[in-house]
Structure formats: structure tokens, C-alpha cells
Amino acid sequence: MRHGKLAHAPSPMALRRYGFILSFLAAPLVLYAVFVVGPYIQAFQIALTNWKGISPNFDYIGFENFTKLFDDGAFWPAVRHHGLLLLVMPLATIAIALFFSFLLNVGGGQRNGRRTGVPGAAFYKIVFFFPQVLAVAIVGVLFQAILSPDKSGVLNSALGALGIDPVGWLINPDLALWTIIGVMVWQAVGFYVVLFSAGMSSIPQDVFEAAALDGAGRFTLFFKITLPLLWDTLQVGWVYLGIAAFDGFALVQVLSVDRGGPDNATTVLPLEIWRQAFTFSKYGYASAMGVALFFLTLTFAALTLRVTRRERIEF
């Protein structure tokens, strides 16, 4: 038995190798624990208190903050808005990004025996990616000018030239959230065009050439070949967009009327967290909302990865 234990003992070289690896991992793990895990734990702790954010004195009140969420008139509308964002924003963004990515990488037909994108594809990729260069606050200010409810707005000015009365894009409760979703999609599409283009460029040309020899058209080429081989990238994109749908703070803060209005028609949970903490000084209650948002996001990511999981296609 003693000889058996010695036979399975790690060699000095293996110990040195593991020590070398751990020496590189130690600093990042410590930084991650301090600056990421630590604040999460602290948020859970604050959520169990009535801390006002100013005085160092507070009392532990258990789950009272969480029970208040069920009767909060702003919390549930915000959750419903996130549900709409989760349904519309990822679908619209992925559909538009896939369409343009396919055109820019595969949809241009055969050239020198290879599938290519439409003419000027490299230039169009830069144009599509341009919104990613802009800060979110700048995008919000830009669309404030575009969506102004009177004739001074760029969009309403164009509609007025066609004889259409100005539309209250951001002041109409029935339109405001849809308008902000449209801005989110506009901002996000460019990144996913580049992401999906990178995924499509990794698909071997032999696959497309074989499909072309079999008489596959663009429709078949997209749905039967490109989409299945791009599934892993789509899965990642869907998760990222879902997480973005649980955010939306900056655009709602800048674009919405009265920060989440009109009549809470555009409010989202990050905005409610900000309001409870910095307007009403209810840091304990704001932390409870943050914990709820954390678990909603975590649940969405886990369910998405589970539902969209499929056998990996090797090529």
C-alpha cells in the first residue's frame, strides 16, 4: 500500500508546474474576490438592513425589504418592461444582425470560386460598428434631438414634410418604451454584425462550395448551413443581449420623460434602484431590488444556456 501511494504522488516537476500556474492565478483571483464577489456579498448584507446610506448606524430587518417588493407599484411594472425587452430586443437585434452579416459575408454570390459578401462589405462593417464607438449617454442625447416631439425633431421634421403630424415618440405612454427599444436595437446591431461576421468567416469555404454545387440558394444556404454552424455564437449573443435587456439604465435615464415616465411607462429595475438609493436614501431597499435583479439575470442566463443547448457541430 505504501508503494502504491508513492506511485501516485505528484512528481516534483508537476508540483513546480502547478505552483507556477497558481502564482499567475493568485493575483487575478484575489482581485476578482475583492472587487466583484465582495460587493455582491455586501449588497446581500445591505439588503437585509434599513440603512439610509449616510449614517453608519442601521438595523437588520431580515427579509422585510424583499416582502415590500411585492406591494411596490413601480417594481412590477419595471419587471414587465424587462419581460418585453427580453422578448423584443434580442429577437430584433439578432434577426437584423444575422441578415446583414449574411449579406456582408456570404450573400454576394460566387467570386473566384469562393462565397463572398456584397461589394463594399468591409466598409459597411465599419459603418454598422460605428454606434459602438459612441458612449451610451451620447446616443441618448443624439436621439433626444431626433425624437423631439415637436417639429424641431429630426424625425418629426421629416414626417412633417410628408404631411404627417408630429408624433410624441417619448411622451406617449403607448410608444415610449417601444421607441427606447428601437434605440437599443440600433445601438446593439453593429456589434452583433461584427460578432456574427467573425463566426461566419470561420466556417470553411468548402462547406459553402459543396452546398452551391448541390444547387443551394441563398435561403437554403442561410437556414440549412450558416445558421446551424453559427449556433454557438448565437447562443452567446442571446445571453449578452438578455443581460443588456436587464440593464437599459443609461438610455432610459436620458431619453425617458421624468426618468421612467410618462406614468412609469418606461421604468426599469436599474432606474428604480438608482431612484430608491439616491433620491429616497433607501439603500437597504435599493439593495433588495439589486439582489432581485441579480437572480432574475442569473435565472435568464441559466435557462437560455439550458434551452438553447444542442450538440456541437464540428467542421
Side-chain angles (χ1 to χ4, degrees):
M1 294 297 293
R2 181 177 300 173
H3 293 292
K5 289 182 179 180
L6 291 174
H8 291 87
S11 65
M13 182 176 294
L15 289 174
R16 285 197 299 270
R17 184 171 67 249
Y18 292 144
F20 179 76
I21 295 172
L22 288 174
S23 66
F24 275 92
L25 290 177
L29 287 175
V30 170
L31 290 174
Y32 186 83
V34 171
F35 294 106
V36 178
V37 178
Y40 274 120
I41 295 174
Q42 189 176 28
F44 294 146
Q45 176 193 7
I46 295 173
L48 302 175
T49 70
N50 61 357
W51 187 45
K52 299 296 183 182
I54 301 175
S55 171
N57 301 318
F58 57 84
D59 297 319
Y60 281 95
I61 57 175
F63 292 95
E64 183 177 327
N65 287 324
F66 293 97
T67 58
K68 287 181 181 178
L69 291 177
F70 292 97
D71 299 322
D72 193 322
F75 176 77
W76 291 112
V79 172
R80 288 195 295 270
H81 295 159
H82 283 298
L84 182 61
L85 283 165
L86 281 173
L87 180 64
V88 177
M89 182 194 165
L91 279 175
T93 302
I94 288 175
I96 296 171
L98 276 175
F99 173 75
F100 286 119
S101 299
F102 185 77
L103 289 180
L104 296 177
N105 292 273
V106 185
Q110 290 263 349
R111 190 178 304 165
N112 298 326
R114 295 172 60 88
R115 299 295 303 189
T116 61
V118 296
F123 171 75
Y124 291 133
K125 289 178 184 179
I126 296 173
V127 173
F128 281 122
F129 192 76
F130 177 71
Q132 295 297 313
V133 180
L134 301 175
V136 180
I138 294 175
V139 172
V141 173
L142 175 67
F143 274 92
Q144 272 186 335
I146 294 173
L147 300 170
S148 180
D150 53 28
K151 291 184 178 180
S152 65
V154 175
L155 188 53
N156 277 329
S157 178
L159 292 176
L162 299 175
I164 302 174
D165 293 333
V167 178
W169 301 103
L170 296 171
I171 62 175
N172 186 334
D174 297 326
L175 288 177
L177 184 60
W178 290 100
T179 302
I180 292 176
I181 291 174
V183 176
M184 289 180 175
V185 171
W186 177 87
Q187 185 194 19
V189 160
F191 174 81
Y192 291 94
V193 167
V194 175
L195 178 66
F196 297 153
S197 293
M200 290 181 189
S201 64
S202 68
I203 300 174
Q205 282 289 327
D206 296 344
V207 177
F208 294 120
E209 292 170 8
L213 290 175
D214 289 337
R218 285 185 175 89
F219 186 86
T220 302
L221 203 63
F222 178 76
F223 285 100
K224 299 294 185 181
I225 297 174
T226 306
L227 202 58
L229 294 178
L230 202 65
W231 190 258
D232 288 345
T233 308
L234 284 174
Q235 185 185 51
V236 172
W238 194 280
V239 172
Y240 282 172
L241 282 166
I243 294 173
F246 276 113
D247 185 10
F249 169 79
L251 280 178
V252 174
Q253 171 83 336
V254 176
L255 286 176
S256 64
V257 178
D258 195 25
R259 295 171 181 170
D263 298 329
N264 285 333
T266 59
T267 188
V268 289
L269 281 177
L271 185 62
E272 287 302 315
I273 292 170
W274 177 87
R275 182 181 287 121
Q276 293 295 330
F278 298 105
T279 301
F280 304 123
S281 295
K282 297 181 179 179
Y283 281 78
Y285 188 56
S287 294
M289 280 191 176
V291 171
L293 178 60
F294 169 79
F295 282 110
L296 285 172
T297 307
L298 197 64
T299 302
F300 164 79
L303 287 176
T304 300
L305 291 174
R306 175 66 179 174
V307 171
T308 60
R309 187 173 63 185
R310 57 186 294 175
E311 185 177 352
R312 185 181 179 88
I313 300 175
E314 300 290 345
F315 53 84

